[in-house]
Amino acid sequence: MQESYARVLAIQRSSVPISEPRALLYQTARHVMVDQHRRELLRNHDDLGMVAEVDQPVISEHLQPDALLNSAQAIQAYVATIEALPPRCREAFILHVFDGLPYARIAERMGTSVSMVEKHIARGRLECRNCQRLLLCVSPQTRDLDAP
């Protein structure tokens, strides 16, 4: 009741003319009750401390903090590996793996032979596989990562 009266008084103080104060009070009281009911519905949930551990919600494996950290570290390792490639090798590797260009188009773009592009890309893949092996030695959770 107090909330209803407070709302009606606020409306009166705002200099809004009220033609039916009694109807406004009933309408306001109904709105307050609906608001309180909605709040109770939101609050009406099980306390996670009271729920058995096996029944508690589980976060997806890939969102676990350790998995996220391992993923970020793996990405950094691959980026460092690719950046360590010689410039022409790195360019050919990136154009093929990330931009999806075929060997012939890369050769044309770089002004070199298709054979040389194949060698550059093979070297980039070999370095990424070596990076993956190192990651597997460090963390068994990165086994799911495939080298580009």
Side-chain angles (χ1 to χ4, degrees):
M1 285 180 57
Q2 184 177 359
E3 178 66 23
S4 299
Y5 282 117
R7 289 185 186 186
V8 169
L9 286 175
I11 292 171
Q12 283 180 335
R13 288 187 181 146
S14 67
S15 301
V16 175
I18 301 171
S19 60
E20 296 287 331
R22 186 177 177 140
L24 176 63
L25 182 60
Y26 283 124
Q27 184 74 18
T28 304
R30 189 161 41 103
H31 285 260
V32 169
M33 287 175 48
V34 169
D35 290 346
Q36 287 177 345
H37 179 69
R38 287 181 181 157
R39 270 189 243 119
E40 286 176 19
L41 288 176
L42 288 175
R43 291 184 191 149
N44 189 15
H45 57 79
D46 294 333
D47 181 18
L48 284 179
M50 303 301 289
V51 176
E53 190 171 331
V54 294
D55 294 332
Q56 289 185 6
V58 179
I59 190 168
S60 299
E61 182 67 32
H62 72 281
L63 295 176
Q64 294 286 340
D66 290 345
L68 291 173
L69 177 64
N70 288 336
S71 177
Q73 289 172 344
I75 290 169
Q76 288 174 347
Y78 280 116
V79 168
T81 298
I82 293 168
E83 286 178 349
L85 292 171
R88 303 271 296 164
C89 179
R90 180 176 57 239
E91 181 182 2
F93 184 76
I94 289 172
L95 287 172
H96 180 68
V97 173
F98 296 105
D99 295 341
L101 295 180
Y103 291 173
R105 183 99 185 268
I106 296 169
E108 179 184 311
R109 187 171 179 171
M110 292 178 63
T112 189
S113 69
V114 172
S115 174
M116 196 67 220
V117 169
E118 289 172 351
K119 290 175 186 172
H120 286 319
I121 293 171
R123 181 175 180 182
R125 286 186 173 152
L126 181 64
E127 292 298 324
C128 284
R129 280 191 206 104
N130 289 337
C131 177
Q132 184 179 26
R133 282 189 202 102
L134 288 172
L135 288 170
L136 290 175
C137 291
V138 173
S139 173
Q141 293 176 340
T142 57
R143 287 192 179 123
D144 296 336
L145 298 174
D146 292 326

PDB file of all heavy atoms in Angstrom, residues 113-133:
ATOM      1  N   SER A 113      58.120 -19.060 -59.227  1.00  0.00           N
ATOM      2  CA  SER A 113      57.567 -20.272 -59.821  1.00  0.00           C
ATOM      3  C   SER A 113      56.610 -20.971 -58.860  1.00  0.00           C
ATOM      4  O   SER A 113      56.679 -20.787 -57.640  1.00  0.00           O
ATOM      5  CB  SER A 113      58.694 -21.230 -60.193  1.00  0.00           C
ATOM      6  OG  SER A 113      59.305 -21.733 -59.021  1.00  0.00           O
ATOM      7  N   VAL A 114      55.737 -21.806 -59.425  1.00  0.00           N
ATOM      8  CA  VAL A 114      54.809 -22.594 -58.622  1.00  0.00           C
ATOM      9  C   VAL A 114      55.600 -23.550 -57.734  1.00  0.00           C
ATOM     10  O   VAL A 114      55.250 -23.777 -56.568  1.00  0.00           O
ATOM     11  CB  VAL A 114      53.813 -23.359 -59.531  1.00  0.00           C
ATOM     12  CG1 VAL A 114      52.974 -24.325 -58.712  1.00  0.00           C
ATOM     13  CG2 VAL A 114      52.926 -22.384 -60.281  1.00  0.00           C
ATOM     14  N   SER A 115      56.690 -24.084 -58.253  1.00  0.00           N
ATOM     15  CA  SER A 115      57.538 -25.004 -57.484  1.00  0.00           C
ATOM     16  C   SER A 115      58.085 -24.315 -56.229  1.00  0.00           C
ATOM     17  O   SER A 115      58.113 -24.909 -55.142  1.00  0.00           O
ATOM     18  CB  SER A 115      58.688 -25.502 -58.364  1.00  0.00           C
ATOM     19  OG  SER A 115      59.589 -26.271 -57.612  1.00  0.00           O
ATOM     20  N   MET A 116      58.505 -23.067 -56.386  1.00  0.00           N
ATOM     21  CA  MET A 116      59.037 -22.332 -55.227  1.00  0.00           C
ATOM     22  C   MET A 116      57.937 -22.065 -54.208  1.00  0.00           C
ATOM     23  O   MET A 116      58.159 -22.161 -52.994  1.00  0.00           O
ATOM     24  CB  MET A 116      59.664 -21.013 -55.695  1.00  0.00           C
ATOM     25  CG  MET A 116      60.551 -20.375 -54.670  1.00  0.00           C
ATOM     26  SD  MET A 116      62.005 -21.397 -54.393  1.00  0.00           S
ATOM     27  CE  MET A 116      62.169 -21.241 -52.658  1.00  0.00           C
ATOM     28  N   VAL A 117      56.737 -21.758 -54.675  1.00  0.00           N
ATOM     29  CA  VAL A 117      55.595 -21.538 -53.783  1.00  0.00           C
ATOM     30  C   VAL A 117      55.304 -22.821 -53.017  1.00  0.00           C
ATOM     31  O   VAL A 117      55.070 -22.787 -51.796  1.00  0.00           O
ATOM     32  CB  VAL A 117      54.355 -21.063 -54.579  1.00  0.00           C
ATOM     33  CG1 VAL A 117      53.105 -21.089 -53.711  1.00  0.00           C
ATOM     34  CG2 VAL A 117      54.580 -19.664 -55.130  1.00  0.00           C
ATOM     35  N   GLU A 118      55.332 -23.969 -53.704  1.00  0.00           N
ATOM     36  CA  GLU A 118      55.109 -25.258 -53.031  1.00  0.00           C
ATOM     37  C   GLU A 118      56.124 -25.481 -51.923  1.00  0.00           C
ATOM     38  O   GLU A 118      55.773 -25.945 -50.838  1.00  0.00           O
ATOM     39  CB  GLU A 118      55.183 -26.398 -54.050  1.00  0.00           C
ATOM     40  CG  GLU A 118      54.017 -26.436 -55.003  1.00  0.00           C
ATOM     41  CD  GLU A 118      54.214 -27.445 -56.124  1.00  0.00           C
ATOM     42  OE1 GLU A 118      55.322 -28.001 -56.277  1.00  0.00           O
ATOM     43  OE2 GLU A 118      53.232 -27.676 -56.857  1.00  0.00           O
ATOM     44  N   LYS A 119      57.382 -25.130 -52.185  1.00  0.00           N
ATOM     45  CA  LYS A 119      58.450 -25.296 -51.186  1.00  0.00           C
ATOM     46  C   LYS A 119      58.214 -24.375 -49.984  1.00  0.00           C
ATOM     47  O   LYS A 119      58.397 -24.774 -48.831  1.00  0.00           O
ATOM     48  CB  LYS A 119      59.814 -25.049 -51.810  1.00  0.00           C
ATOM     49  CG  LYS A 119      60.218 -26.127 -52.782  1.00  0.00           C
ATOM     50  CD  LYS A 119      61.513 -25.794 -53.477  1.00  0.00           C
ATOM     51  CE  LYS A 119      61.783 -26.851 -54.553  1.00  0.00           C
ATOM     52  NZ  LYS A 119      62.918 -26.486 -55.385  1.00  0.00           N
ATOM     53  N   HIS A 120      57.830 -23.134 -50.274  1.00  0.00           N
ATOM     54  CA  HIS A 120      57.554 -22.185 -49.180  1.00  0.00           C
ATOM     55  C   HIS A 120      56.421 -22.688 -48.295  1.00  0.00           C
ATOM     56  O   HIS A 120      56.512 -22.666 -47.058  1.00  0.00           O
ATOM     57  CB  HIS A 120      57.182 -20.804 -49.735  1.00  0.00           C
ATOM     58  CG  HIS A 120      58.316 -20.018 -50.304  1.00  0.00           C
ATOM     59  ND1 HIS A 120      59.562 -19.956 -49.731  1.00  0.00           N
ATOM     60  CD2 HIS A 120      58.365 -19.235 -51.415  1.00  0.00           C
ATOM     61  CE1 HIS A 120      60.347 -19.165 -50.451  1.00  0.00           C
ATOM     62  NE2 HIS A 120      59.640 -18.720 -51.487  1.00  0.00           N
ATOM     63  N   ILE A 121      55.343 -23.127 -48.913  1.00  0.00           N
ATOM     64  CA  ILE A 121      54.175 -23.587 -48.148  1.00  0.00           C
ATOM     65  C   ILE A 121      54.511 -24.863 -47.381  1.00  0.00           C
ATOM     66  O   ILE A 121      54.118 -25.021 -46.221  1.00  0.00           O
ATOM     67  CB  ILE A 121      52.958 -23.758 -49.073  1.00  0.00           C
ATOM     68  CG1 ILE A 121      52.540 -22.365 -49.581  1.00  0.00           C
ATOM     69  CG2 ILE A 121      51.801 -24.442 -48.346  1.00  0.00           C
ATOM     70  CD1 ILE A 121      51.499 -22.378 -50.676  1.00  0.00           C
ATOM     71  N   ALA A 122      55.272 -25.752 -47.998  1.00  0.00           N
ATOM     72  CA  ALA A 122      55.688 -26.983 -47.307  1.00  0.00           C
ATOM     73  C   ALA A 122      56.530 -26.639 -46.083  1.00  0.00           C
ATOM     74  O   ALA A 122      56.365 -27.242 -45.010  1.00  0.00           O
ATOM     75  CB  ALA A 122      56.460 -27.886 -48.260  1.00  0.00           C
ATOM     76  N   ARG A 123      57.414 -25.673 -46.218  1.00  0.00           N
ATOM     77  CA  ARG A 123      58.233 -25.261 -45.076  1.00  0.00           C
ATOM     78  C   ARG A 123      57.370 -24.669 -43.967  1.00  0.00           C
ATOM     79  O   ARG A 123      57.556 -24.962 -42.782  1.00  0.00           O
ATOM     80  CB  ARG A 123      59.288 -24.252 -45.510  1.00  0.00           C
ATOM     81  CG  ARG A 123      60.175 -23.818 -44.369  1.00  0.00           C
ATOM     82  CD  ARG A 123      61.277 -22.913 -44.805  1.00  0.00           C
ATOM     83  NE  ARG A 123      62.099 -22.535 -43.659  1.00  0.00           N
ATOM     84  CZ  ARG A 123      63.113 -21.721 -43.732  1.00  0.00           C
ATOM     85  NH1 ARG A 123      63.488 -21.213 -44.902  1.00  0.00           N
ATOM     86  NH2 ARG A 123      63.784 -21.405 -42.651  1.00  0.00           N
ATOM     87  N   GLY A 124      56.412 -23.840 -44.343  1.00  0.00           N
ATOM     88  CA  GLY A 124      55.509 -23.253 -43.347  1.00  0.00           C
ATOM     89  C   GLY A 124      54.713 -24.323 -42.607  1.00  0.00           C
ATOM     90  O   GLY A 124      54.568 -24.277 -41.388  1.00  0.00           O
ATOM     91  N   ARG A 125      54.224 -25.313 -43.336  1.00  0.00           N
ATOM     92  CA  ARG A 125      53.481 -26.403 -42.700  1.00  0.00           C
ATOM     93  C   ARG A 125      54.377 -27.225 -41.786  1.00  0.00           C
ATOM     94  O   ARG A 125      53.942 -27.632 -40.701  1.00  0.00           O
ATOM     95  CB  ARG A 125      52.844 -27.296 -43.757  1.00  0.00           C
ATOM     96  CG  ARG A 125      51.661 -26.654 -44.418  1.00  0.00           C
ATOM     97  CD  ARG A 125      50.963 -27.605 -45.346  1.00  0.00           C
ATOM     98  NE  ARG A 125      49.740 -26.989 -45.835  1.00  0.00           N
ATOM     99  CZ  ARG A 125      49.186 -27.269 -46.981  1.00  0.00           C
ATOM    100  NH1 ARG A 125      49.722 -28.176 -47.774  1.00  0.00           N
ATOM    101  NH2 ARG A 125      48.083 -26.668 -47.351  1.00  0.00           N
ATOM    102  N   LEU A 126      55.588 -27.475 -42.226  1.00  0.00           N
ATOM    103  CA  LEU A 126      56.531 -28.231 -41.400  1.00  0.00           C
ATOM    104  C   LEU A 126      56.810 -27.497 -40.086  1.00  0.00           C
ATOM    105  O   LEU A 126      56.809 -28.101 -39.011  1.00  0.00           O
ATOM    106  CB  LEU A 126      57.834 -28.462 -42.172  1.00  0.00           C
ATOM    107  CG  LEU A 126      58.908 -29.260 -41.458  1.00  0.00           C
ATOM    108  CD1 LEU A 126      58.423 -30.684 -41.207  1.00  0.00           C
ATOM    109  CD2 LEU A 126      60.193 -29.255 -42.264  1.00  0.00           C
ATOM    110  N   GLU A 127      57.003 -26.196 -40.157  1.00  0.00           N
ATOM    111  CA  GLU A 127      57.253 -25.405 -38.946  1.00  0.00           C
ATOM    112  C   GLU A 127      56.032 -25.410 -38.024  1.00  0.00           C
ATOM    113  O   GLU A 127      56.165 -25.493 -36.799  1.00  0.00           O
ATOM    114  CB  GLU A 127      57.644 -23.969 -39.308  1.00  0.00           C
ATOM    115  CG  GLU A 127      58.987 -23.845 -39.990  1.00  0.00           C
ATOM    116  CD  GLU A 127      60.145 -24.322 -39.121  1.00  0.00           C
ATOM    117  OE1 GLU A 127      60.127 -24.119 -37.887  1.00  0.00           O
ATOM    118  OE2 GLU A 127      61.084 -24.910 -39.687  1.00  0.00           O
ATOM    119  N   CYS A 128      54.841 -25.351 -38.605  1.00  0.00           N
ATOM    120  CA  CYS A 128      53.618 -25.397 -37.788  1.00  0.00           C
ATOM    121  C   CYS A 128      53.449 -26.767 -37.132  1.00  0.00           C
ATOM    122  O   CYS A 128      52.994 -26.861 -35.994  1.00  0.00           O
ATOM    123  CB  CYS A 128      52.403 -25.040 -38.633  1.00  0.00           C
ATOM    124  SG  CYS A 128      52.286 -23.269 -38.970  1.00  0.00           S
ATOM    125  N   ARG A 129      53.816 -27.843 -37.842  1.00  0.00           N
ATOM    126  CA  ARG A 129      53.753 -29.179 -37.234  1.00  0.00           C
ATOM    127  C   ARG A 129      54.746 -29.293 -36.079  1.00  0.00           C
ATOM    128  O   ARG A 129      54.445 -29.889 -35.049  1.00  0.00           O
ATOM    129  CB  ARG A 129      54.029 -30.261 -38.275  1.00  0.00           C
ATOM    130  CG  ARG A 129      52.816 -30.558 -39.106  1.00  0.00           C
ATOM    131  CD  ARG A 129      53.005 -31.815 -39.950  1.00  0.00           C
ATOM    132  NE  ARG A 129      52.140 -31.702 -41.101  1.00  0.00           N
ATOM    133  CZ  ARG A 129      52.536 -31.392 -42.337  1.00  0.00           C
ATOM    134  NH1 ARG A 129      53.810 -31.226 -42.604  1.00  0.00           N
ATOM    135  NH2 ARG A 129      51.659 -31.281 -43.306  1.00  0.00           N
ATOM    136  N   ASN A 130      55.933 -28.722 -36.256  1.00  0.00           N
ATOM    137  CA  ASN A 130      56.914 -28.709 -35.162  1.00  0.00           C
ATOM    138  C   ASN A 130      56.383 -27.925 -33.964  1.00  0.00           C
ATOM    139  O   ASN A 130      56.561 -28.326 -32.818  1.00  0.00           O
ATOM    140  CB  ASN A 130      58.245 -28.122 -35.632  1.00  0.00           C
ATOM    141  CG  ASN A 130      58.987 -29.038 -36.583  1.00  0.00           C
ATOM    142  OD1 ASN A 130      58.764 -30.249 -36.591  1.00  0.00           O
ATOM    143  ND2 ASN A 130      59.851 -28.465 -37.403  1.00  0.00           N
ATOM    144  N   CYS A 131      55.713 -26.826 -34.242  1.00  0.00           N
ATOM    145  CA  CYS A 131      55.092 -26.029 -33.178  1.00  0.00           C
ATOM    146  C   CYS A 131      54.039 -26.855 -32.461  1.00  0.00           C
ATOM    147  O   CYS A 131      53.966 -26.856 -31.231  1.00  0.00           O
ATOM    148  CB  CYS A 131      54.477 -24.757 -33.772  1.00  0.00           C
ATOM    149  SG  CYS A 131      53.595 -23.736 -32.582  1.00  0.00           S
ATOM    150  N   GLN A 132      53.247 -27.599 -33.229  1.00  0.00           N
ATOM    151  CA  GLN A 132      52.214 -28.434 -32.628  1.00  0.00           C
ATOM    152  C   GLN A 132      52.837 -29.514 -31.741  1.00  0.00           C
ATOM    153  O   GLN A 132      52.346 -29.784 -30.652  1.00  0.00           O
ATOM    154  CB  GLN A 132      51.350 -29.074 -33.704  1.00  0.00           C
ATOM    155  CG  GLN A 132      50.201 -29.881 -33.131  1.00  0.00           C
ATOM    156  CD  GLN A 132      49.330 -30.499 -34.202  1.00  0.00           C
ATOM    157  OE1 GLN A 132      49.789 -30.755 -35.315  1.00  0.00           O
ATOM    158  NE2 GLN A 132      48.081 -30.729 -33.877  1.00  0.00           N
ATOM    159  N   ARG A 133      53.907 -30.114 -32.200  1.00  0.00           N
ATOM    160  CA  ARG A 133      54.590 -31.135 -31.382  1.00  0.00           C
ATOM    161  C   ARG A 133      55.070 -30.537 -30.060  1.00  0.00           C
ATOM    162  O   ARG A 133      54.951 -31.162 -29.013  1.00  0.00           O
ATOM    163  CB  ARG A 133      55.758 -31.733 -32.154  1.00  0.00           C
ATOM    164  CG  ARG A 133      55.330 -32.742 -33.179  1.00  0.00           C
ATOM    165  CD  ARG A 133      56.515 -33.486 -33.789  1.00  0.00           C
ATOM    166  NE  ARG A 133      56.117 -34.027 -35.062  1.00  0.00           N
ATOM    167  CZ  ARG A 133      56.425 -33.513 -36.243  1.00  0.00           C
ATOM    168  NH1 ARG A 133      57.192 -32.454 -36.330  1.00  0.00           N
ATOM    169  NH2 ARG A 133      55.974 -34.059 -37.349  1.00  0.00           N
TER     170      ARG A 133
END
